[in-house]
Amino acid sequence: MVVYCAALPENLVESTLFCHQKGAFTGATQKQCGLIKQADGGTLFLDEVGELPLGMQKAFLRVLEDRQFRPVGGKSEVRSNFRLVAATNQNLEVLVKQGGFREDLLFR
């Protein structure tokens, strides 16, 4: 599963990655399986990971640590076991110093 982080609309990043339940927000007319769940048992490739918004970096860090997440509008945790590959053309160490990327995510 390939995720091009730079093309993710900021208002839809969470539901695109973590799934959403029907009625979770305006326009959510049906349950949607997110990309992290779709990668279960396989590989998730985050292309241009440096473009991932800071709020999503924190949420994604939790997924890496616990291998579970809560879909938008969901009441229970969902598990996903995947291998992560990430790439970017940005210098993440510089972004960390500038406050644009989480140091703990870079470490992992």
Side-chain angles (χ1 to χ4, degrees), residues 54-67:
L54 278 172
M56 285 298 95
Q57 290 177 30
K58 181 179 181 180
F60 194 75
L61 181 62
R62 182 174 178 269
V63 172
L64 288 178
E65 292 173 347
D66 300 338
R67 298 291 181 198

Side-chain angles (χ1 to χ4, degrees), residues 13-53:
V13 172
E14 187 174 19
S15 68
T16 301
L17 291 177
F18 301 118
C19 309
H20 67 259
Q21 301 297 318
K22 180 179 178 180
F25 53 87
T26 303
T29 57
Q30 61 186 359
K31 181 180 177 179
Q32 180 71 33
C33 184
L35 298 174
I36 292 172
K37 183 60 180 169
Q38 291 178 38
D40 190 24
T43 302
L44 180 65
F45 175 49
L46 294 181
D47 192 15
E48 292 303 334
V49 70
E51 299 292 331
L52 200 61

